[in-house]
Amino acid sequence: MSAATEPGVQTRPAVDETNEEFMLERVPQKARRSWWSQFVIWVGFGYVPTGLIVGGQLAGTAEGGGMPFGDAVLTIVLGQGVLLLLTFALGFAAMKTGLNLSLISRFSYGRKGMILPMLVMGLLTLGWFASIVGMVGDIFNAAFGSFTGITIFNGLSLEFVIFSLIWGAIFTWSAWKGIVALERISAPAAPFVLIVAIVAAVMMISEFGGFGNVLAEGANRSGTSIGTGITVIIGAWIAGVIMGVDIFRFAKTAAHVFIGAGACFILTNPLLNFIGYTGSIATGDANFISWMVTKGVFFAILGVILWVVALWTTNMSELYCNALYVGPAANAMGIRIARPKIVITVGIIGSILGAFGFYSFFFADFITVLGAAFVPLAGPILADFFVVRRREYTSANVDELPAVRLPGIISFLIGAVLGIVFQYWMPLPGDFPAGLGALIITFALHLVLSKVMAGRPEQRIVESADAGMR
């Protein structure tokens, strides 16, 4: 890929592909990976406890909230279906261009305008990393208790803090190793994790007296609408959907993109939603790992190992992608930071946040706001790639794009505000999901603004002599 050609811009040094993971350039065809690579990464990426937690939210409690099993099934199918379509659409764009999220965002937001979505994604992935560190600390706390009896802060034990910091460091080291580490940890773990999850669900249902009893108890649950349930499902995964761009840029074909997206949103995540629902009905706890911990030493050890391995891949992905947002955003501001330094710095910050209660105190509101406000971030990218300027994505050098493109920035900001408004103050008709409604409006608004502003110089189609495709 050629260096920037703007006057006054220095030629940047060639990227070290091993260390930078193509942070500032397209992934060449020779570096693309197999369908199996996409499958195992996405199975591991999809296996995150939020799938169980969401299933538990759909079940509610005997005291209130939740929905009957039939409504829960419909909610899961619709919610996961939306996530599947969004992931495939964004993944297809990444596969065709070989661009990570920061680079593909330059087309719709501008070379410097993309700093806005990158900072948003940087904060989101930091929040997820901190949350997952806390999840690991929680399960060790549940399995082994507090040996010292020392409480550090707001009920958090010394052991919780120590376990969280240790595993935060391990996740950080793994993310520092890059995409190959994601594959090596995901491949052996993914089938084992899925099998144990299914076996645990069967055992919990059997202990409750059979699936008929689950259905009977579920029929008494009410208070959570299908629209709200879909919003929660989308909110729990929208950051992962957008992060998929950074994983799918290594895909070779559209079929490989669908295999990866399907591994997460047809296989893994819906399964976790169902297990979370039935587990919550049968045991009062959506997290089957917590149930395993109560079933003796063998199941406790197996549960802890399973939990940590499952979360390992997910949190590596969060931190791996975070560097691909923070690095290019810094680069757009004239600051060059190597990917390993970003991984280590953000890993330390996230580990400290996780160890001191981010998951315990902020997680529920965190995923609700995600679903409402940040789904629209994908709107300008989708509208731009599939409708407005598709030809430019293969004809332009990403370093020669204009600094700012207002349609993308304006449409996203309006969409984010509308998502919050729809979620908390002005529900959409028919209880339509707030985040999805905001995304549709953002998509349409980007098309309109692109048409209205078509005469502006920065809106012209850029065609470079060297587009950087390899």
Side-chain angles (χ1 to χ4, degrees):
M1 184 169 181
S2 65
T5 57
E6 288 184 327
V9 177
Q10 294 181 340
T11 300
R12 53 181 172 82
V15 174
D16 180 338
E17 295 178 355
T18 301
N19 292 325
E20 295 295 337
E21 300 266 324
F22 307 101
M23 187 168 75
L24 298 174
E25 63 178 318
R26 300 176 191 262
V27 176
Q29 285 297 324
K30 65 182 180 181
R32 301 298 178 95
R33 310 190 78 82
S34 68
W35 70 268
W36 178 248
S37 168
Q38 293 294 331
F39 178 80
V40 297
I41 287 176
W42 278 92
V43 168
F45 189 34
Y47 193 92
V48 62
T50 47
L52 299 171
I53 294 168
V54 167
Q57 288 179 297
L58 299 183
T61 66
E63 288 72 35
M67 59 179 64
F69 181 76
D71 286 356
V73 170
L74 179 60
T75 299
I76 292 169
V77 169
L78 294 176
Q80 298 295 340
V82 170
L83 292 172
L84 175 68
L85 292 175
L86 285 176
T87 303
F88 179 78
L90 287 168
F92 179 82
M95 180 274 300
K96 291 293 288 185
T97 62
L99 297 171
N100 61 33
L101 183 63
S102 70
L103 296 181
I104 208 169
S105 294
R106 290 187 184 187
F107 289 88
S108 50
Y109 289 92
R111 202 179 63 256
K112 293 186 180 297
M114 68 86 182
I115 293 173
L116 172 64
M118 290 310 98
L119 290 180
V120 169
M121 289 302 297
L123 290 173
L124 295 186
T125 48
L126 171 61
W128 271 108
F129 182 84
S131 296
I132 292 174
V133 166
M135 291 176 191
V136 173
D138 266 355
I139 199 63
F140 274 97
N141 214 36
F144 303 112
S146 175
F147 302 112
T148 64
I150 298 174
T151 299
I152 300 295
F153 172 77
N154 253 10
L156 301 177
S157 70
L158 175 63
E159 288 79 5
F160 169 86
V161 173
I162 292 174
F163 278 127
S164 296
L165 291 175
I166 289 172
W167 279 100
I170 293 172
F171 296 149
T172 300
W173 174 82
S174 301
W176 174 73
K177 299 296 288 183
I179 192 76
V180 174
L182 280 175
E183 295 173 18
R184 289 177 178 170
I185 292 175
S186 297
F192 177 70
V193 165
L194 291 176
I195 290 170
V196 173
I198 294 170
V199 171
V202 171
M203 292 175 66
M204 286 189 295
I205 292 170
S206 176
E207 191 176 272
F208 193 63
F211 193 65
N213 287 350
V214 172
L215 292 176
E217 177 60 28
N220 298 323
R221 304 295 171 91
S222 63
T224 302
S225 67
I226 290 175
T228 297
I230 293 173
T231 295
V232 170
I233 288 175
I234 294 175
W237 257 98
I238 188 57
V241 166
I242 298 173
M243 285 166 58
V245 169
D246 296 305
I247 299 173
F248 283 129
R249 67 201 170 109
F250 286 95
K252 294 180 179 179
T253 68
H256 293 183
V257 174
F258 185 81
I259 287 170
C264 186
F265 299 114
I266 295 177
L267 179 60
T268 312
N269 223 243
L271 174 64
L272 292 180
N273 290 161
F274 286 123
I275 292 174
Y277 181 93
T278 56
S280 184
I281 295 288
T283 69
D285 191 340
N287 186 351
F288 72 90
I289 304 292
S290 299
W291 173 85
M292 290 176 69
V293 167
T294 68
K295 297 302 174 183
V297 175
F298 173 77
F299 279 102
I301 293 174
L302 180 62
V304 169
I305 293 173
L306 183 71
W307 184 269
V308 171
V309 171
L311 290 178
W312 197 334
T313 300
T314 303
N315 229 19
M316 284 168 58
S317 300
E318 300 292 344
L319 197 50
Y320 170 81
C321 291
N322 180 279
L324 298 177
Y325 310 140
V326 176
N331 189 70
M333 293 184 283
I335 304 169
R336 177 83 178 206
I337 309 175
R339 188 189 71 86
K341 291 182 179 179
I342 299 171
V343 167
I344 292 169
T345 301
V346 175
I348 291 171
I349 295 171
S351 298
I352 293 171
L353 287 174
F356 287 92
F358 184 90
Y359 170 63
S360 302
F361 305 131
F362 302 110
F363 184 71
D365 291 332
F366 179 66
I367 64 170
T368 299
V369 172
L370 271 179
F374 299 119
V375 178
L377 191 149
I381 298 173
L382 293 172
D384 218 53
F385 178 80
F386 287 102
V387 181
V388 177
R389 57 181 76 252
R390 183 166 185 174
R391 177 166 56 90
E392 186 180 68
Y393 281 75
T394 54
S395 67
N397 185 314
V398 293
D399 291 322
E400 297 175 356
L401 295 169
V404 173
R405 278 178 166 162
L406 291 177
I409 294 172
I410 294 172
S411 59
F412 166 60
L413 290 175
I414 291 175
V417 171
L418 288 177
I420 294 292
V421 170
F422 295 155
Q423 180 65 33
Y424 293 103
W425 295 292
M426 293 176 55
L428 292 170
D431 198 32
F432 195 80
L436 185 57
L439 172 64
I440 294 171
I441 292 173
T442 302
F443 185 96
L445 184 59
H446 183 80
L447 297 181
V448 172
L449 291 176
S450 295
K451 188 73 173 177
V452 171
M453 298 182 182
R456 294 177 62 90
E458 70 273 11
Q459 289 299 108
R460 67 180 177 83
I461 299 293
V462 176
E463 293 185 283
S464 307
D466 175 14
M469 293 297 286
R470 292 184 289 173

